[in-house]
Amino acid sequence: MLLGFSVSNYQCFADEASINLVRPSLRTQVPKADQSWIDVTYRVAALYGANASGKSTFLRAFSRLCAAVTESARFSSRLHNPDRSRDENLSLPTVYDVNFLVDSVRYHYTVEAHPWGISFESLHAYPRGVRRHLFTRTQTEGGVIEVKAGTGLIGPTAQVLKVTTSQDLFLAAAYRYGHTTLAPIAKGLRVGVSVTIVEHSEFAQRERIDWVMTRILEDPLYWQAMVNALAQAADLGIKRIEVREQDVPPKVLEHIRSLYKSLASQEEEGVELPEDLLSPVARALVFVHSGPDGTEFELSLNAQSEGTRTWLATIGPAVDALRKGKVLVVDELDASLHPALVATLVGMFKDPDFNRTGAQLIFSTHDTALLGNVPARQLEPPEVWFCEKDAAGCSEIVSLDEYDTRKGNNEQKRYLSGRFGAMPRVDLSRLLAHVAADNADSEG
């Protein structure tokens, strides 16, 4: 579970930008005895703003930190990604700060990344509401790394230090080494918090649809019924979705075999191909529709609308997040989706009957209908964040909760009227002047 995240000196964010998912009612480090973390945190966070305002950049910063924790040092080397609006920022660190839960324990992790490496890194735990120091890593520009371990840190800390490079996160090195205390925490940040970024490229969409197809094959009792129910609930005109085996065309098979032989350095003919290489092309999703007379007809994935493919590619990871208590991050949630489907997806994370695991949805969107009061207010003010660039090109993030947000307000109308900023400043004057000059030249 994510409690909060901030980043500074990262691309368009010169100063600190943050979101907080902890309810203001929590005034201590951990919930009271009669409360759970689900009671004191929000299930969704929505980022609004004009195009190029920094929404996607902020989501990528969060994803980049989580990936660096369990990946190789080359991911850590990308953590320094400074704002370039001021020259002095190039030599200043990019700073990440994240509060999260692993096995119901709160952790606070901070990283400072320079172009020459990780200058500072610290991890604290709050097992019973009392701050407990696990480790602090420091490094000079000369490359000298020091780690101060907390008294309760159990595991091969000295050995991990020996394999930690200047560009490597100490927590990432501890994960790869299997450190007794730190490896489960690192895995929790990457897998337990389980950040899943949903992007909308054709490749990413196809990858997620293949993931759904694999889930149907692995657990047909659950996923087959779930996918059919989701397709019908979205009113897509689909009666059911099935996975079918299909013959691989000989030319495609030969091409795959040739590639495999070259990569595996195998010379013999008739080499056996691993099943996981063939499965994506040997299986296909078939969409069964109902005709006007009640008869059924089948269509392939390619024959489905962009909206249908987007819904399937998005709802699959969403169901997985709801089932396992994950954090799902979606950039441009409303891309190719009807506002009713966007509202449905957001509502699933906010509905305790659907979301019993504390799963969270963090997303960017331009769908202002979520801010309105019809049929009911979908988002609470602390769940809404506005991202805006200033005249110098630097972005900031501000919560809707910082404005006057009394219950009867229509925040959709107020946002569209410019009350909160984070709107594109459309100026057609130069375009009109250009058109007028072009017309004058044409008449002349």
Side-chain angles (χ1 to χ4, degrees):
M1 184 182 296
L2 180 65
L3 306 180
F5 172 73
S6 71
V7 66
S8 62
N9 195 29
Y10 182 88
Q11 294 189 3
C12 58
F13 294 101
D15 300 318
E16 183 180 83
S18 65
I19 61 171
N20 179 21
L21 287 91
V22 177
R23 293 182 180 272
S25 58
L26 180 65
R27 302 184 183 277
T28 53
Q29 296 292 352
V30 296
K32 298 177 182 178
D34 59 341
Q35 293 178 317
S36 70
W37 278 108
I38 295 178
D39 298 327
V40 298
T41 52
Y42 295 103
R43 307 274 61 78
V44 301
L47 274 68
Y48 283 85
N51 292 329
S53 61
K55 304 184 302 297
S56 300
T57 300
F58 184 79
L59 297 181
R60 282 197 301 271
F62 180 43
S63 175
R64 181 166 292 190
L65 175 65
C66 293
V69 166
T70 55
E71 302 293 344
S72 63
R74 68 186 181 90
F75 280 87
S76 300
S77 66
R78 300 174 184 175
L79 290 175
H80 184 255
N81 202 339
D83 166 69
R84 299 180 182 276
S85 64
R86 297 190 290 265
D87 289 341
E88 59 267 26
N89 288 346
L90 299 179
S91 59
L92 294 176
T94 300
V95 181
Y96 303 82
D97 190 288
V98 59
N99 278 275
F100 61 101
L101 298 183
V102 175
D103 296 331
S104 299
V105 176
R106 178 176 186 163
Y107 294 94
H108 180 204
Y109 183 50
T110 303
V111 173
E112 295 182 10
H114 279 82
W116 42 265
I118 308 301
S119 59
F120 180 84
E121 184 183 2
S122 70
L123 181 65
H124 292 81
Y126 298 82
R128 287 175 292 277
V130 179
R131 192 168 187 253
R132 175 188 167 202
H133 175 242
L134 293 179
F135 77 84
T136 297
R137 172 261 190 89
T138 56
Q139 179 181 193
T140 64
E141 193 168 351
V144 179
I145 303 174
E146 294 183 354
V147 171
K148 181 180 180 181
T151 56
L153 188 64
I154 301 172
T157 304
Q159 289 85 341
V160 172
L161 176 58
K162 290 180 181 179
V163 299
T164 302
T165 66
S166 61
Q167 294 283 353
D168 208 1
L169 292 173
F170 182 75
L171 187 59
Y175 172 76
R176 295 193 297 272
Y177 201 91
H179 190 281
T180 311
T181 303
L182 299 179
I185 299 172
K187 183 178 180 181
L189 180 56
R190 183 68 180 98
V191 181
V193 172
S194 204
V195 179
T196 302
I197 295 280
V198 173
E199 298 174 335
H200 298 289
S201 68
E202 184 177 347
F203 175 79
Q205 184 187 82
R206 180 68 209 209
E207 193 175 46
R208 294 196 306 276
I209 291 176
D210 286 343
W211 179 89
V212 171
M213 183 166 59
T214 302
R215 298 289 83 73
I216 293 174
L217 292 169
E218 289 178 348
D219 188 0
L221 190 63
Y222 176 83
W223 278 100
Q224 183 70 73
M226 177 59 71
V227 168
N228 290 340
L230 292 169
Q232 294 167 12
D235 194 24
L236 302 174
I238 299 171
K239 190 172 182 180
R240 65 183 181 276
I241 301 174
E242 299 176 357
V243 178
R244 298 272 182 85
E245 299 286 341
Q246 61 182 9
D247 293 331
V248 181
K251 287 185 178 180
V252 175
L253 187 62
E254 184 55 36
H255 182 63
I256 294 174
R257 181 176 283 111
S258 177
L259 285 175
Y260 178 69
K261 285 171 62 178
S262 63
L263 292 173
S265 301
Q266 298 193 34
E267 301 295 335
E268 66 271 16
E269 295 297 325
V271 62
E272 288 294 326
L273 295 174
E275 185 179 345
D276 58 351
L277 285 180
L278 290 177
S279 58
V281 291
R283 297 165 181 158
L285 286 177
V286 174
F287 296 75
V288 181
H289 295 253
S290 293
D293 57 354
T295 58
E296 296 182 351
F297 64 97
E298 299 177 354
L299 294 175
S300 68
L301 175 65
N302 292 334
Q304 303 304 311
S305 69
E306 180 64 23
T308 295
R309 293 196 297 270
T310 301
W311 173 252
L312 182 61
T314 306
I315 199 64
V319 168
D320 189 57
L322 289 165
R323 196 181 185 192
K324 299 177 181 177
K326 296 180 179 180
V327 178
L328 181 69
V329 179
V330 185
D331 193 16
E332 296 185 8
L333 179 62
D334 50 322
S336 301
L337 286 180
H338 190 278
L341 293 182
V342 175
T344 297
L345 187 56
V346 172
M348 288 171 66
F349 278 83
K350 296 194 63 174
D351 189 336
D353 290 331
F354 277 101
N355 189 358
R356 300 180 181 184
T357 61
Q360 294 167 304
L361 174 65
I362 302 172
F363 63 99
S364 65
T365 183
H366 297 290
D367 185 358
T368 61
L370 294 172
L371 298 173
N373 295 333
V374 179
R377 179 177 283 193
Q378 189 79 16
L379 296 172
E380 300 176 53
E383 296 171 333
V384 178
W385 302 82
F386 297 121
C387 192
E388 185 172 27
K389 277 187 176 178
D390 60 21
C394 295
S395 298
E396 64 173 355
I397 294 179
V398 180
S399 172
L400 173 59
D401 200 38
E402 295 187 21
Y403 296 88
D404 172 20
T405 56
R406 64 192 68 179
K407 194 171 183 179
N409 288 350
N410 187 323
E411 310 302 0
Q412 180 185 23
K413 289 184 177 179
R414 298 176 78 208
Y415 172 60
L416 291 174
S417 67
R419 293 288 293 275
F420 312 124
M423 289 279 289
R425 302 179 184 91
V426 182
D427 182 2
L428 295 178
S429 59
R430 292 187 180 181
L431 178 60
L432 290 173
H434 179 73
V435 170
D438 184 60
N439 288 339
D441 291 340
S442 299
E443 292 173 359

